[in-house]
Amino acid sequence: MQLKNVIDSPCGLRFILQKLELQSGFARRCLLDMEMLTDADAIQESYGVLCHFARFLADTDHVRISTLLFKLQGVKDIRTTIKNLEQKATLDDIELFEVKHLAILAVDVKKLLRQHGLDQVVEVPDLDEVITILDPDGLKIASFYIYDSYCEQLKDLRIQMRQHPEQNDQLLLEANELELGVRADLSKQLHHFAPAIRQALLALAHIDISLAKAAQMHHMGLCFPVISTDGTSRYEGLFHPQVKDALESNGRSFQPVDISYGLKPTLITGANMGGKTVVLKTLTLCQYLFQFGFGIPAAMVTIDVKSHIFFCIGDEQSVEKGLSSFAAEMKNIDAVIKASRNERKLLALIDEPARTTNPTEGAALVAALLKVLADADMSLILTTHYDIEPGDARCLRVKGFVDGVMDYSLVEVHDGEVPHEALNIAQALDIDSQWINLAREIINKNERIL
Amino acid sequence: MPFINEILNYSSLSIVGLEKNTGKTECLKYVLKRMPVDSRRIAVTSIGIDGETVDQVTRTQKPEIVLQQGMFFATSEAHYKLRRLVSELVDVSDENTSLGRVVTAKALTTGKILLSGPPSATGLIRWMNQMQRIGIDLTIIDGALSRLSSASPAVSQSMILATGAAYSANMNTLVQKTAFIVQLINLPLADEKKRNLFGPLDQGSWWLDADGTLNPLSSATSLSKHIHFQGMERCSTIYVAGALVDGFIEKVRANKDLRQVEIVVKDFTRIFVSPQLFRLFLKAGGRVTVLQKSKLIAVTVNPVSPTGFVLDSDILCQKLSEAIELPVYDLLKN
């Protein structure tokens, strides 16, 4: 699973990536091509690197940081050139220029990292010899042509060209032949360095990504996670950066929530507009951010590593596939059930399953889903408005309206009973009173009949 | 030639042809040949693919130009490989054109190159800034006044306009049409406050009331037929981020309150209004100003049309010069 496959997950991952200030387009491509980490050691290692860069940003003066960022802006995607080099092709001037440009950048960046003790954190291979090959006059500037000093004959020809411009066409032909020979020779010499050049290119992208992630942690107030060892994930002060941003731009604030879940199913109930969906979105987002090595939007977190993440938000109609919202949802949940039979360490977050059908069948589907998934090696979090028997599931409820103000925090309850606050909330939203009052009368009548 | 010295007063120059075969390339060659490369660092490029210059099939149809030793130039990868001089690469950009990326190099011998360049306005501006950073004194842009080109020559400080029999074979029409373009190029800059206010607005049409409050115009585009100007009695200025067309001016003219209005556009290339209507609007008290303008240094003429028709060079130069109050040159004749 690569980052680019999940970037449009409705959990809001794209927002985080859009806010990530990378210096080069190549780094962005590398990040999008990154495989999701499913190994605790690999995740630990990536946060170790991130931690070094976060400290670097905190402790280093602005000028030095800008110098490094400016260097990283110069990184270009020269993988095609490197591939040509690996395949022993003769590079043209533009490709040789690209190699030289990268080698000089890599050496400069390495020097900067060494000054801050970061050269061991991300290892940039030594490309001094590459520079020597492509800078025969030791000019130390990132420009390139087939220098006179590569070939005496070429040098003489060029002197003639400057003295007798009228003979240029003939002289150029001869010079081109000689240049071709020099290029072939240079490419041969550089061939051995192809792996080191490739590694340097990737290392520069890695540094760019790590710096951007570290800066983002600071700007968004994200935290470093602890890797869970007991299968439980615990979040304190959890928030959704995009929702928080939107609220704050309207002069409102986001109420962070605390939540934890383990390998037993978790059932979240609560009033409409109580933030249940936002909780699921945020948990999904956090799990992805964790397994792609980003900072986590919370005050303190411990997260369990998962191998697969499923986020079923329900209201996605699939017009292209000709599925109704109910059918699309059923297919998505079906995929979770199938995976639960073969795979381990799953995380499934399902928002109001079967919400679009009648309450009788809907409630039955949800209750049965809990039973079907009860024994799988997975963390399952469900939200619902249906009254169902929770069985083994842990039940959390949004506190809801307290003195006319929505309290979004989650409290543990011991039954699956759902709050009946829809009409109060509709009233608070100033929905047509005739409609709402009529609904209230109907409920009262039904209750009398029961 | 007097205008060579004037060019050196500016840090950028674009050479704009009103039509194919109006002698734009001749003018560029003429200027490049006379640039003092010993005392000035010069860089030259062209505005991308402008629909007229590059043959997409043979890819080589564009005329070659001669660079002096020491000049910098930007061209596409494909054209760079066809260069007929020794040159040192200094940059390869990320920006892709249909002829590959744009590369910048320095000529180490005198010789010929094919010129192409950044395909977009932002790419061109970025290149010009980059040239300034590496110490270039003057950037020269082979510009095209074509609606196909998204890069406007108005980003340069100064401009030379090439016109000729190819633009119109009737001398009076040619003089009138050229004079109108010159009038547009010479439109005054909007005042600084308005330039700062409108500069960042890339889309839509906007108006300012007497207190200086910015309001969006009713319709999103200035091309719309449904645009209306109700409730704009106190409007002093209208800004059109896109194209200014006949229909818009007619609607403005139809509104009594807007007789004295100032219409601001990005630069002269955004104006697609017929000369008659434009003059009527100005005569009634309206004003048109621009956010970006180039100093027009000179106009060059090519009296020969590609169909073989030839105008009298001396009379053409004289008539045009009278109409535009600027020096006019026939470079081939001189």
Side-chain angles (χ1 to χ4, degrees):
Chain A
M1 180 79 77
Q2 293 174 323
L3 185 52
K4 65 179 170 210
N5 304 127
V6 293
I7 182 173
D8 280 318
S9 157
C11 69
L13 202 49
R14 186 175 278 278
F15 176 81
I16 301 282
L17 287 171
Q18 273 167 352
K19 294 269 168 173
L20 195 66
E21 287 182 15
L22 291 167
Q23 304 304 316
S24 74
F26 175 65
R28 186 164 296 274
R29 274 194 289 279
C30 285
L31 181 63
L32 288 173
D33 286 342
M34 181 184 170
E35 285 289 336
M36 187 168 92
L37 304 171
T38 51
D39 173 63
D41 292 338
I43 294 175
Q44 189 71 57
E45 197 191 319
S46 87
Y47 280 113
V49 172
L50 189 52
C51 192
H52 277 105
F53 281 100
R55 214 172 300 143
F56 165 75
L57 288 184
D59 299 344
T60 314
D61 70 275
H62 185 67
V63 179
R64 278 164 179 267
I65 296 173
S66 307
T67 313
L68 178 57
L69 295 181
F70 183 72
K71 297 268 177 214
L72 292 171
Q73 279 172 15
V75 176
K76 310 240 158 98
D77 185 358
I78 64 162
R79 284 178 293 186
T80 321
T81 304
I82 298 173
K83 205 168 161 195
N84 288 340
L85 202 55
E86 284 165 349
Q87 291 171 345
K88 299 192 174 178
T90 295
L91 302 190
D92 64 25
D93 282 9
I94 295 173
E95 290 172 314
L96 289 168
F97 169 83
E98 288 177 326
V99 171
K100 182 175 177 182
H101 182 78
L102 176 72
I104 290 180
L105 268 183
V107 167
D108 287 355
V109 168
K110 194 180 169 99
K111 207 187 287 168
L112 284 169
L113 291 187
R114 197 179 297 131
Q115 287 169 5
H116 298 91
L118 287 168
D119 53 329
Q120 301 297 319
V121 178
V122 178
E123 204 179 321
V124 185
D126 256 319
L127 295 183
D128 288 311
E129 281 183 69
V130 173
I131 299 181
T132 313
I133 294 171
L134 294 173
D135 187 14
D137 302 334
L139 300 171
K140 301 273 177 229
I141 45 170
S143 62
F144 181 77
Y145 73 108
I146 304 296
Y147 293 94
D148 291 355
S149 37
Y150 282 130
C151 172
E152 275 301 315
Q153 248 180 303
L154 191 61
K155 189 176 168 184
D156 294 340
L157 271 176
R158 284 175 179 167
I159 291 171
Q160 285 183 47
M161 280 165 74
R162 289 190 184 105
Q163 286 165 349
H164 308 284
E166 69 284 354
Q167 295 168 20
N168 265 4
D169 282 354
Q170 181 53 36
L171 294 170
L172 259 178
L173 274 181
E174 287 175 46
N176 281 349
E177 279 304 309
L178 291 172
E179 285 184 5
L180 211 59
V182 174
R183 280 189 207 106
D185 183 48
L186 291 176
S187 306
K188 213 164 133 194
Q189 290 180 52
L190 290 171
H191 170 69
H192 308 287
F193 294 98
I197 296 169
R198 186 179 283 277
Q199 205 191 328
L201 177 65
L202 296 177
L204 291 177
H206 189 185
I207 293 164
D208 191 350
I209 294 167
S210 303
L211 277 168
K213 281 178 178 172
Q216 184 170 52
M217 288 185 73
H218 178 69
H219 293 144
M220 286 190 173
L222 313 181
C223 74
F224 281 102
V226 173
I227 298 176
S228 167
T229 48
D230 60 359
T232 316
S233 296
R234 295 176 209 90
Y235 292 86
E236 282 175 40
L238 180 68
F239 64 92
H240 194 288
Q242 189 173 7
V243 179
K244 186 173 176 228
D245 250 33
L247 285 174
E248 280 172 359
S249 66
N250 287 326
R252 293 158 65 199
S253 65
F254 189 97
Q255 181 194 340
V257 296
D258 299 345
I259 184 172
S260 68
Y261 60 83
L263 297 173
K264 265 199 329 188
T266 306
L267 196 63
I268 303 179
T269 56
N272 299 83
M273 294 180 68
K276 298 187 298 297
T277 306
V278 172
V279 167
L280 283 199
K281 275 191 184 188
T282 317
L283 289 175
T284 313
L285 177 68
C286 289
Q287 194 71 35
Y288 280 130
L289 291 177
F290 173 61
Q291 300 200 235
F292 285 105
F294 287 77
I296 309 294
M300 221 158 72
V301 288
T302 305
I303 309 180
D304 188 34
V305 184
K306 300 293 183 188
S307 62
H308 295 276
I309 301 162
F310 294 91
F311 181 37
C312 310
I313 194 160
D315 53 5
E316 48 203 306
Q317 291 195 26
S318 187
V319 178
E320 304 97 80
K321 290 182 197 150
L323 295 176
S324 73
S325 52
F326 179 74
E329 184 189 18
M330 286 294 118
K331 291 269 183 202
N332 283 341
I333 298 175
D334 183 55
V336 177
I337 297 172
K338 295 227 161 84
S340 76
R341 292 188 178 132
N342 307 316
E343 309 273 354
R344 299 189 52 242
K345 293 186 80 65
L346 307 182
L347 171 65
L349 304 109
I350 307 177
D351 191 32
E352 295 183 37
R355 74 165 95 172
T356 52
T357 190
N358 65 74
T360 326
E361 286 180 290
L365 280 168
V366 178
L369 182 62
L370 278 178
K371 285 215 168 72
V372 168
L373 294 176
D375 297 326
D377 178 13
M378 73 186 303
S379 297
L380 171 68
I381 305 168
L382 277 181
T383 62
T384 189
H385 281 294
Y386 294 141
D387 258 322
I388 57 161
E389 180 54 48
D392 269 349
R394 206 166 140 252
C395 297
L396 298 175
R397 183 190 294 162
V398 179
K399 261 196 186 158
F401 270 111
V402 180
D403 302 328
V405 180
M406 182 60 87
D407 184 342
Y408 295 95
S409 46
L410 296 160
V411 285
E412 186 148 4
V413 289
H414 296 287
D415 56 53
E417 199 192 328
V418 294
H420 294 139
E421 289 188 291
L423 294 186
N424 291 340
I425 290 166
Q427 206 162 18
L429 284 171
D430 209 13
I431 306 296
D432 186 78
S433 57
Q434 193 189 356
W435 177 20
I436 304 304
N437 290 336
L438 206 55
R440 222 180 275 286
E441 278 173 33
I442 292 172
I443 290 172
N444 290 341
K445 210 190 304 170
N446 288 350
E447 276 175 359
R448 272 201 298 277
I449 293 166
L450 286 171
Chain B
M1 263 306 176
F3 71 83
I4 296 294
N5 285 328
E6 199 181 344
I7 292 171
L8 297 174
N9 294 332
Y10 299 93
S11 67
S12 53
L13 165 76
S14 55
I15 297 176
V16 175
L18 283 180
E19 187 61 70
K20 261 199 226 184
N21 296 308
T22 49
K24 182 184 63 163
T25 308
E26 285 310 317
C27 179
L28 178 65
K29 284 180 182 167
Y30 178 90
V31 169
L32 287 178
K33 204 168 157 187
R34 285 162 180 76
M35 282 290 121
V37 275
D38 300 331
S39 59
R40 303 292 171 110
R41 281 152 72 91
I42 314 279
V44 54
T45 191
S46 150
I47 295 181
I49 309 259
D50 48 26
E52 57 158 296
T53 38
V54 177
D55 187 327
Q56 290 296 309
V57 182
T58 64
R59 305 206 144 191
T60 55
Q61 191 236 342
K62 224 179 138 152
E64 284 182 314
I65 59 159
V66 179
L67 291 187
Q68 298 186 56
Q69 185 179 329
M71 281 181 170
F72 285 73
F73 62 98
T75 192
S76 61
E77 265 180 278
H79 285 163
Y80 187 73
K81 286 174 185 163
L82 300 173
R83 69 195 182 280
R84 293 203 283 153
L85 45 67
V86 181
S87 59
E88 178 174 10
L89 267 166
V90 296
D91 184 62
V92 178
S93 85
D94 284 333
E95 203 169 13
N96 258 298
T97 75
S98 55
L99 296 168
R101 291 165 296 177
V102 176
V103 300
T104 306
K106 182 186 178 183
L108 300 177
T109 63
T110 297
K112 290 177 176 172
I113 53 148
L114 283 161
L115 214 53
S116 42
S120 68
T122 43
L124 180 64
I125 293 168
R126 208 182 307 133
W127 180 79
M128 289 168 71
N129 290 336
Q130 192 188 351
M131 289 300 104
Q132 212 157 28
R133 273 202 304 279
I134 64 170
I136 296 293
D137 300 308
L138 171 64
T139 48
I140 299 177
I141 302 145
D142 179 13
L145 195 64
S146 158
R147 294 173 198 206
L148 294 170
S149 165
S150 62
S152 162
V155 297
S156 66
Q157 283 188 356
S158 65
M159 187 183 293
I160 294 176
L161 191 67
T163 185
Y167 190 43
S168 172
N170 178 308
M171 190 175 300
N172 286 332
T173 318
L174 174 61
V175 168
Q176 275 169 20
K177 281 170 83 174
T178 306
F180 180 57
I181 299 289
V182 170
Q183 184 186 3
L184 296 185
I185 295 173
N186 284 334
L187 283 173
L189 275 179
D191 67 46
E192 198 181 340
K193 224 175 92 193
K194 287 175 188 163
R195 293 208 301 273
N196 293 335
L197 184 66
F198 298 140
L201 303 172
D202 272 336
Q203 282 179 347
S205 305
W206 308 77
W207 63 279
L208 279 182
D209 64 21
D211 315 325
T213 324
L214 188 66
N215 309 288
L217 258 184
S218 58
S219 168
T221 133
S222 59
L223 297 173
S224 169
K225 282 185 184 146
H226 307 295
I227 200 151
H228 63 85
F229 299 115
Q230 261 96 55
M232 287 173 57
E233 295 78 17
R234 301 175 65 240
C235 167
S236 65
T237 310
I238 297 177
Y239 171 63
V240 179
L244 181 63
V245 295
D246 279 356
F248 192 88
I249 295 267
E250 272 165 11
K251 285 277 167 76
V252 173
R253 272 168 52 77
N255 190 321
K256 265 212 312 284
D257 300 319
L258 298 175
R259 282 283 151 80
Q260 313 272 316
V261 81
E262 172 183 349
I263 299 182
V264 184
V265 293
K266 270 230 147 74
D267 60 59
F268 80 94
T269 62
R270 309 295 171 113
I271 302 171
F272 299 95
V273 180
S274 63
Q276 296 80 352
L277 189 63
F278 194 77
R279 289 200 182 106
L280 281 174
F281 173 70
L282 296 187
K283 216 167 185 179
R287 299 207 304 135
V288 179
T289 57
V290 293
L291 297 184
Q292 238 172 12
K293 96 173 256 192
S294 308
K295 162 77 183 164
L296 184 62
I297 290 178
V299 174
T300 67
V301 291
N302 175 11
V304 184
S305 94
T307 50
F309 193 85
V310 185
L311 296 172
D312 185 308
S313 172
D314 289 338
I315 300 175
L316 177 60
C317 286
Q318 191 204 338
K319 275 198 167 179
L320 194 56
S321 188
E322 276 166 16
I324 63 175
E325 296 170 357
L326 259 180
V328 176
Y329 305 95
D330 179 349
L331 296 177
L332 286 185
K333 194 177 163 212
N334 290 316

